Amino acid sequence: MKTGPHSRVALVTGGATVVFRELVDETLMPKFLTALQDHGFSTLLLQCGVYHDQVLAKLASREPDNLTIEVFDFDPDLKGRMRICRGEANLQPAGVVISHAGTGTIADCAEVQVAQIIVANPNLMDNHQHEFAQSMARDHASLVHGRLGSLHEAIPEALAVIKSLGLDSLEPYQEPVFPLRDEDRLTLIDQVIAHGV
C-alpha cells in the first residue's frame, strides 16, 4: 500500500456479511476512482465481505492507473484500518472512511478522528438511514452525507472537512486507557443532569 507524506487513503466499508453492494459498486465506477485520484488519494481499501470474488472479477478488467486498490472480505480490526486513514502531522495526510450510516462505524471514526462519508443504505427497513444520515451530517462537522449516484461529489466535501478540522496535522493516535480514573468518568446520572433529561 502506498502511504507517505503526499498520499491519502480511502477506506470503503461495505459490510462483511450483509454487503451494501450499491455502495461497493459505485466506488468501483470510473467517475468515483477518478475523483479519488484527482483529489490526491493513492490507495482505496475496499471491504466487501461475501461480495469479494465478484469485486475481484470486476477489477480484473480495470485499466491501470495510479490508484492502488486493496480488496478484503473481513477484518476483525476494522478500526485499525480506519487509523490508516488518520492524518498525522509530518507523517501522512488524512484520508476518509466511506460507509453506510451505521452508528457503530460512525462512533469508531469519531474515536480515531477520521473524516467520514456516510451513505444511507436504501435496502434497510424502509430506508430509515436516509433521515439519520442527513441529521448526523448536519450536526457533526466530521461527517459528510454522501448519496448513491453522486458519491464522487462527496470527495471534495470530505477534503473541505479535513482542512477545516485540521485533520492533516493531528498528534499520533493513542488508544484510550481503561479503566478510566474516577475523576474522568461520566456516569449516566451526570449525563441526565447535564442534558436536563
Side-chain angles (χ1 to χ4, degrees):
M1 173 177 27
K2 294 183 235 177
T3 58
H6 302 294
S7 60
R8 296 188 189 275
V9 176
L11 167 63
V12 175
T13 154
T17 50
V18 178
V19 180
F20 187 180
R21 290 178 187 232
E22 294 88 346
L23 175 62
V24 172
D25 286 343
E26 187 156 347
T27 61
L28 295 173
M29 300 294 284
K31 189 180 279 191
F32 180 81
L33 297 174
T34 299
L36 283 180
Q37 292 178 84
D38 288 350
H39 290 90
F41 286 82
S42 64
T43 304
L44 173 62
L45 305 176
L46 185 54
Q47 179 202 22
C48 50
V50 295
Y51 197 35
H52 182 264
D53 291 344
Q54 292 94 322
V55 169
L56 289 178
K58 290 179 183 198
L59 288 173
S61 61
R62 180 173 163 255
E63 295 292 323
D65 54 27
N66 294 322
L67 186 68
T68 299
I69 300 178
E70 179 185 323
V71 179
F72 61 102
D73 54 1
F74 174 75
D75 187 341
D77 184 23
L78 191 58
K79 194 188 302 184
R81 290 212 190 223
M82 290 175 183
R83 283 194 301 269
I84 295 170
C85 297
R86 187 178 190 276
E88 289 188 13
N90 304 313
L91 182 63
Q92 170 177 307
V96 64
V97 173
I98 304 165
S99 73
H100 74 108
T103 55
T105 309
I106 291 171
D108 286 345
C109 284
E111 182 182 317
V112 296
Q113 296 176 285
V114 175
Q116 184 179 10
I117 298 170
I118 53 175
V119 182
N121 185 339
N123 305 313
L124 300 178
M125 298 185 333
D126 300 322
N127 198 16
H128 74 283
Q129 286 187 346
H130 179 73
E131 189 175 318
F132 178 71
Q134 284 180 316
S135 174
M136 290 297 289
R138 183 179 56 245
D139 297 342
H140 299 281
S142 63
L143 300 177
V144 172
H145 183 197
R147 291 165 183 80
L148 291 176
S150 59
L151 191 55
H152 63 283
E153 295 173 3
I155 299 302
E157 290 181 53
L159 288 177
V161 164
I162 288 167
K163 183 176 182 180
S164 71
L165 297 178
L167 298 180
D168 279 331
S169 51
L170 297 173
E171 294 298 317
Y173 179 76
Q174 293 186 13
E175 286 283 345
V177 178
F178 292 103
L180 293 175
R181 300 175 309 174
D182 286 341
E183 58 269 19
D184 293 334
R185 290 186 187 161
L186 181 67
T187 67
L188 176 61
I189 295 170
D190 296 326
Q191 291 177 7
V192 170
I193 292 170
H195 298 296
V197 177

